[in-house]
Amino acid sequence: MKRVNVGLMGMGTLGTGSYKILDMNRETIAKNSGCDIRFKRILERDTTRDRGIEVPMDLFTQDPEEIFNDPEIDIVIEVLGGIEPASTFMLEAMRHGKHVITANKAAIAADYDTFINTAKENNVEFRFEASVGGGIPILNAITTVLGANQFTEILGILNGTTNYILTKMTEYGLSYDTALQEAKEKGFAEPDPTADVEGHDVANKVSVLMALAFDTYIHPDNIPTIGITGITPEAIEEAKHENCVIKLIGKAKKNEDGSLEYSVAPMKLSKDHPLASVSNEFNAIYITGNAVDELMFYGKGAGGFPTGSALMGDVIEIAKKIRMEDK
Amino acid sequence: MKRVNVGLMGMGTLGTGSYKILDMNRETIAKNSGCDIRFKRILERDTTRDRGIEVPMDLFTQDPEEIFNDPEIDIVIEVLGGIEPASTFMLEAMRHGKHVITANKAAIAADYDTFINTAKENNVEFRFEASVGGGIPILNAITTVLGANQFTEILGILNGTTNYILTKMTEYGLSYDTALQEAKEKGFAEPDPTADVEGHDVANKVSVLMALAFDTYIHPDNIPTIGITGITPEAIEEAKHENCVIKLIGKAKKNEDGSLEYSVAPMKLSKDHPLASVSNEFNAIYITGNAVDELMFYGKGAGGFPTGSALMGDVIEIAKKIRMEDK
């Protein structure tokens, strides 16, 4: 069986999730990829933390060059987070002929064309299913079996933290501050939740979705973005009286004249809308194509296992290609 | 640009939908496949019906051999429906080296292994995204980017006719007979609705889903199947009082000991369940994997354009492979 080696950059929640999935589903992954997939090197400073799984100490390195320069490493998974040094590392991995997989929407959205072009120039794959909607396989659908469609609209609940906060405000009449506090306690919000509650995380995801669905890259700074910090219990109550709910929606629309509209903002949705019942930390993407009409994809938008499912799914798809080209 | 020729068997709703999608989205399909995809021959007796699009008369044939024996035809789309002669035609096309795409769940479910083995023996692709959930890209997700999962459960609303009838019974307190009549008038039920209302159509789809998600083929005759003809307005009213709705659910479950449970039957679902708000003619598949956790895919389960989206999506995926192998 063809051996495929992965270099993992980052052993936090997502790296650990991916590592555990390969351990837990080794046979299934071998059957589905036709390859013997292994983690060969892990870039991570914290080698001693209890991750709930034993990781051989000799896998760890603190030197990214040990991944770039290892000719046996086929694929690099980047889950360091943050724009730098993650972006530099991904581009460097591509220049060393490694296929690159990432969950890093901030990095992709900040410099989409550079990633795509560098991958092309070096004849490597660049996959990022995990960057939008966690485990929800929306990007692969857009780029493969929905390829006979011209997409007209995308509406997404793309951030679990803000959806959790809005759900609790709606269900229990909580204030924003109280709901945020609860989200922090439950682990659904970061100690510094700015990127989530101000909508920047969603803007990154809208940028990635538009690049794939509309073949147009818009920098997230150019996407009008309003978060949820101004949402009051009164506004939510008023929406209820109109049989609506308030959701933070990432929106991208292609008009008939080809012009694009895009935004991140709280929206009032009728309770009949398929997105209205997407609650708590769940994410969903509602997408319309001129052939398929309306579709919705729903699932967990974060977490080590759901996001690891997307990362390892990308590994499997690349491993299949490596095996085919090897024949 | 690589030319890829398609032979179309059947020019009813699905064949016409596929033909129109290629006409409407020709540029998008060329960009996404990298190929110039054309319909080269259409097996169909009715050459004069108004289909809302002009089809060159010389495409039509009444002789399937003209498709099998045309060396320029790369892909055959079978949308004749019914088990025979569709199955014989598909197998014959494979033996002539054609890739085969179908929406025909009855044919696939009746003899799954023969199709898979014949495709393998002849080194051709056999794709059937359109056979389950119409335009919803569930099968491709299961067989590609969800490949790092062991699936544990599938619950599906897999038949638009019965979901429409149950929705109308629930919303307006209609009797089964009245709701069926309305579904017929709106074009959501066939003149003979037996295969739908007795659950046989759903059983076929459960068989296809299990073959892919659990790697186990179960003939639909062996799937315990109850339709919706016995559902009374009283039963629906009672469910409402328990804050539930009644849905016709195709279910497949893999227990921890590896044993499988499967059935088609009306089920009471809590209104909080993501499937509970799937109404009218819509379909949805709720699937759980041990990495990704819960996912739901929602969309139109029938109709020329949504199902055509899935058929043409499969054409694009095969065209990409043809182009790669051509290099």
Side-chain angles (χ1 to χ4, degrees):
Chain A
M1 197 178 257
K2 171 78 184 166
R3 170 85 172 258
V4 169
N5 291 308
V6 177
L8 181 61
M9 295 187 146
M11 192 69 173
T13 306
L14 305 188
T16 304
S18 303
Y19 193 93
K20 284 181 177 171
I21 289 169
L22 182 58
D23 183 68
M24 171 173 82
N25 295 339
R26 185 167 296 281
E27 271 180 55
T28 302
I29 290 170
K31 181 171 68 64
N32 289 337
S33 65
C35 297
D36 176 16
I37 294 167
R38 307 271 184 104
F39 287 104
K40 190 168 182 235
R41 189 68 79 211
I42 300 172
L43 180 72
E44 171 66 51
R45 258 184 226 130
D46 183 351
T47 59
T48 55
R49 192 193 325 167
D50 180 8
R51 296 180 166 88
I53 189 168
E54 215 164 312
V55 182
M57 281 300 285
D58 62 347
L59 291 191
F60 287 109
T61 177
Q62 296 191 34
D63 181 3
E65 299 290 335
E66 283 198 30
I67 291 177
F68 303 143
N69 293 321
D70 185 340
E72 292 186 345
I73 290 181
D74 307 284
I75 300 172
V76 169
I77 299 180
E78 183 281 310
V79 281
L80 296 163
I83 294 182
E84 286 297 351
S87 297
T88 302
F89 287 177
M90 285 194 272
L91 296 171
E92 198 57 22
M94 290 177 186
R95 290 189 197 106
H96 283 79
K98 317 296 187 204
H99 306 288
V100 171
I101 294 167
T102 186
N104 195 331
K105 44 261 169 195
I108 306 169
D111 202 7
Y112 183 77
D113 290 337
T114 303
F115 287 110
I116 298 300
N117 293 335
T118 307
K120 258 190 209 149
E121 283 159 19
N122 293 283
N123 199 25
V124 295
E125 297 279 313
F126 179 50
R127 293 184 68 108
F128 39 94
E129 183 65 70
S131 69
V132 177
I136 303 170
I138 178 65
L139 301 188
N140 189 66
I142 290 174
T143 54
T144 65
V145 284
L146 296 178
N149 286 270
Q150 295 184 54
F151 297 105
T152 51
E153 189 173 44
I154 304 171
L155 298 175
I157 294 175
L158 297 166
N159 181 276
T161 304
T162 47
N163 202 42
Y164 183 87
I165 292 171
L166 291 174
T167 301
K168 292 305 160 195
M169 290 178 74
T170 304
E171 282 178 357
Y172 303 112
L174 300 186
S175 72
Y176 167 75
D177 287 328
T178 310
L180 171 61
Q181 194 51 41
E182 192 187 314
K184 283 186 185 176
E185 281 160 16
K186 291 259 171 85
F188 291 133
E190 305 279 335
D192 176 2
T194 311
D196 293 320
V197 298
E198 298 290 1
H200 304 311
D201 176 68
V202 176
N204 288 330
K205 290 163 180 169
V206 169
S207 172
V208 173
L209 283 166
M210 275 199 289
L212 297 182
F214 297 147
D215 210 10
T216 305
Y217 164 58
I218 308 286
H219 192 287
D221 286 354
N222 297 323
I223 299 175
T225 298
I226 302 170
I228 63 161
T229 56
I231 302 292
T232 60
E234 291 70 35
I236 287 178
E237 204 50 40
E238 198 187 298
K240 268 191 203 172
H241 283 295
E242 299 167 34
N243 212 28
C244 288
V245 291
I246 294 180
K247 294 286 185 189
L248 181 63
I249 297 292
K251 176 179 169 174
K253 194 175 172 199
K254 190 167 203 167
N255 296 312
E256 284 197 17
D257 64 2
S259 63
L260 295 176
E261 286 173 38
Y262 36 85
S263 62
V264 178
M267 262 177 76
K268 247 188 268 182
L269 293 179
S270 157
K271 278 192 180 157
D272 297 334
H273 195 284
L275 288 172
S277 51
V278 176
S279 296
N280 294 316
E281 77 276 24
F282 281 90
N283 283 17
I285 297 98
Y286 181 85
I287 184 165
T288 310
N290 71 341
V292 75
D293 210 335
E294 320 162 42
L295 286 175
M296 188 175 78
F297 297 72
Y298 165 99
K300 291 203 166 158
F305 270 24
T307 310
S309 164
L311 291 164
M312 293 309 296
D314 277 348
V315 170
I316 290 172
E317 288 309 291
I318 293 175
K320 282 185 203 168
K321 271 212 161 169
I322 293 174
R323 189 169 52 89
M324 291 284 289
E325 285 166 4
D326 220 45
K327 267 184 187 167
Chain B
M1 195 178 258
K2 171 78 185 166
R3 171 85 173 259
V4 169
N5 291 307
V6 177
L8 181 60
M9 297 190 144
M11 192 70 173
T13 306
L14 304 188
T16 304
S18 303
Y19 193 92
K20 284 182 177 172
I21 288 170
L22 182 57
D23 184 66
M24 171 172 81
N25 294 338
R26 186 170 296 279
E27 270 180 57
T28 303
I29 291 170
K31 181 172 67 66
N32 289 337
S33 64
C35 297
D36 176 17
I37 295 167
R38 308 269 185 104
F39 286 104
K40 193 171 179 230
R41 189 68 79 212
I42 299 172
L43 180 73
E44 171 67 50
R45 258 186 227 128
D46 183 351
T47 58
T48 55
R49 191 194 327 167
D50 179 9
R51 295 181 167 90
I53 189 167
E54 215 164 312
V55 182
M57 282 301 286
D58 63 345
L59 291 191
F60 286 110
T61 176
Q62 295 191 36
D63 181 4
E65 299 290 336
E66 283 199 30
I67 290 177
F68 303 143
N69 294 321
D70 184 340
E72 291 185 347
I73 290 182
D74 307 285
I75 300 172
V76 169
I77 298 180
E78 183 281 311
V79 281
L80 297 162
I83 293 180
E84 286 298 349
S87 297
T88 302
F89 287 177
M90 285 194 271
L91 296 170
E92 198 57 22
M94 290 177 187
R95 290 189 197 104
H96 283 78
K98 317 294 187 205
H99 306 289
V100 171
I101 294 167
T102 185
N104 195 330
K105 45 261 168 196
I108 306 169
D111 202 7
Y112 182 77
D113 290 338
T114 302
F115 287 109
I116 298 299
N117 294 335
T118 307
K120 257 189 209 150
E121 284 159 19
N122 293 282
N123 200 24
V124 296
E125 297 280 312
F126 178 51
R127 293 184 69 108
F128 38 94
E129 183 66 71
S131 69
V132 177
I136 303 170
I138 177 67
L139 302 188
N140 188 67
I142 290 173
T143 53
T144 65
V145 282
L146 296 178
N149 286 271
Q150 296 185 54
F151 297 105
T152 51
E153 190 173 43
I154 303 171
L155 299 174
I157 294 176
L158 297 165
N159 182 275
T161 305
T162 47
N163 202 42
Y164 183 88
I165 292 170
L166 291 175
T167 301
K168 292 305 160 195
M169 291 178 73
T170 304
E171 282 177 358
Y172 303 111
L174 301 185
S175 71
Y176 168 75
D177 287 328
T178 310
L180 172 61
Q181 194 51 41
E182 192 188 314
K184 282 186 185 176
E185 283 159 16
K186 291 258 170 85
F188 292 131
E190 305 278 334
D192 177 1
T194 311
D196 293 319
V197 298
E198 298 290 2
H200 303 311
D201 175 68
V202 176
N204 288 331
K205 291 164 179 170
V206 169
S207 171
V208 173
L209 282 167
M210 275 199 289
L212 296 182
F214 297 147
D215 210 10
T216 306
Y217 165 58
I218 308 286
H219 192 286
D221 286 353
N222 296 323
I223 299 174
T225 298
I226 303 169
I228 64 161
T229 56
I231 302 292
T232 60
E234 292 71 33
I236 285 178
E237 204 50 40
E238 199 185 297
K240 268 190 203 172
H241 284 296
E242 300 168 35
N243 211 29
C244 289
V245 291
I246 294 179
K247 294 287 183 189
L248 181 63
I249 299 293
K251 176 179 168 173
K253 194 175 171 198
K254 189 165 204 171
N255 297 311
E256 283 198 18
D257 64 2
S259 64
L260 295 176
E261 286 173 36
Y262 36 85
S263 62
V264 178
M267 261 176 76
K268 248 188 268 182
L269 293 180
S270 158
K271 279 192 179 158
D272 297 332
H273 195 285
L275 288 172
S277 50
V278 176
S279 296
N280 294 314
E281 77 275 24
F282 281 89
N283 280 203
I285 298 99
Y286 181 85
I287 184 165
T288 309
N290 72 341
V292 75
D293 209 334
E294 319 162 40
L295 286 176
M296 188 174 79
F297 297 71
Y298 164 98
K300 291 204 166 157
F305 270 24
T307 311
S309 164
L311 292 164
M312 293 309 296
D314 278 348
V315 170
I316 290 172
E317 288 308 292
I318 294 175
K320 281 186 205 168
K321 271 210 161 169
I322 293 173
R323 189 169 52 91
M324 290 284 287
E325 284 165 7
D326 220 45
K327 270 184 187 167

